[in-house]
Amino acid sequence: DLREAGFDLTALRVATYHCEISLQKWLSLVANLCSQEELQSFREEMVAQLEGDGASDGSEQYLHFEDRLLLLIAQLPTDWGCCRRAKRLRMSRIPMPWPMRLALDGFWAPLVALTPQQATEALAQLDRHAQRVRRSDTARAEDLVGEERFKLHLLYPWAAQLVLHPIILEAVRQALGTPNVLVWFSEVNAKAPRSPCHAAPHQDGIFASLAPNDAVITVWLALT
């Protein structure tokens, strides 16, 4: 709780956005959260509701719902330096292990893996991939669409070297707490300056149906 941590809550806003997910994927996501009887009852209830709404033509059925993001702005009071918690934090000079920071904050940054020259070369290789698959000498990484963005580490040695970079692998091993790791997926998300492209707020684990979610991690590697 922010107030218990000594913060003053200065603003609160709820942002809503529309979501949809196929009924089959939703059932697979909640399969481990309820019994088979409850799952079957839920399936029958949702199918009946969808059919009542006219979705009975045999096509894949989708659930539509509204999701919410709770946006908070909090700040420390001006006399925070006098409180007991502040004194404890100031006295602690031991840096927190970054896997612990990852667990507390949900992310950890920055992790410098590439030199500027290596990042520039990787981006040039990515542009060359775009020119090859888009069949245009002027294509760039931001022109890649669909499957052209996926699993490049299986196609090119330069992409595999990025995925298998020792600094990145060591960070992943520490974050997951095991030396036994698997690269499940890789993709390119490139946005040019002033691009109209937009990615709505989401959680990768939900879209990819990854479970348990504490046994996977996403690494973002910036090239610019």
Side-chain angles (χ1 to χ4, degrees):
D1 186 87
L2 289 173
R3 292 189 177 92
E4 290 183 0
F7 287 85
D8 291 331
L9 189 61
T10 60
L12 184 151
R13 185 167 68 89
V14 178
T16 61
Y17 56 97
H18 177 76
C19 296
E20 68 174 26
I21 186 173
S22 71
L23 177 59
Q24 291 301 322
K25 174 164 283 192
W26 178 259
L27 291 173
S28 68
L29 290 175
V30 301
N32 295 327
L33 304 178
C34 57
S35 66
Q36 288 298 317
E37 292 76 12
E38 291 173 324
L39 189 64
Q40 182 60 30
S41 175
F42 178 76
R43 179 196 296 270
E44 294 173 355
E45 179 182 343
M46 295 307 303
V47 168
Q49 181 177 335
L50 290 170
E51 289 179 348
D53 293 339
S56 58
D57 58 357
S59 60
E60 189 170 10
Q61 297 168 319
Y62 283 82
L63 303 178
H64 297 264
F65 58 94
E66 187 179 78
D67 208 345
R68 294 176 176 86
L69 288 177
L70 182 62
L71 307 176
L72 303 173
I73 298 179
Q75 63 183 13
L76 293 170
T78 55
D79 60 346
W80 186 79
C82 300
C83 72
R84 184 179 303 173
R85 178 178 172 83
K87 292 179 180 178
R88 289 202 308 267
L89 291 178
R90 283 202 306 270
M91 290 173 62
S92 176
R93 298 300 181 185
I94 302 176
M96 181 183 296
W98 80 261
M100 185 179 295
R101 289 178 54 188
L102 179 66
L104 291 173
D105 301 331
F107 70 95
W108 185 83
L111 177 68
V112 180
L114 304 179
T115 66
Q117 293 77 15
Q118 291 172 329
T120 299
E121 175 57 27
L123 182 59
Q125 293 279 16
L126 192 55
D127 286 340
R128 284 193 280 272
H129 163 68
Q131 293 163 9
R132 184 178 299 110
V133 297
R134 303 303 296 169
R135 298 182 180 180
S136 169
D137 292 339
T138 60
R140 294 294 181 266
E142 56 266 24
D143 298 318
L144 296 170
V145 296
E147 295 183 353
E148 299 168 354
R149 303 184 295 115
F150 301 150
K151 296 188 176 182
L152 298 190
H153 70 285
L154 301 180
L155 301 177
Y156 302 108
W158 62 265
Q161 291 173 3
L162 294 178
V163 171
L164 301 177
H165 194 289
I167 294 178
I168 294 177
L169 283 184
E170 180 58 26
V172 169
R173 292 187 179 110
Q174 289 189 38
L176 297 180
T178 175
N180 186 17
V181 297
L182 170 70
V183 178
W184 176 74
F185 198 75
S186 66
E187 67 176 276
V188 175
N189 291 285
K191 292 180 66 176
R194 295 176 294 279
S195 169
C197 296
H198 172 69
H202 66 279
Q203 292 180 320
D204 292 341
I206 299 299
F207 276 80
S209 300
L210 299 176
N213 57 17
D214 59 351
V216 295
I217 191 170
T218 300
V219 177
W220 288 87
L221 180 62
L223 300 182
T224 63

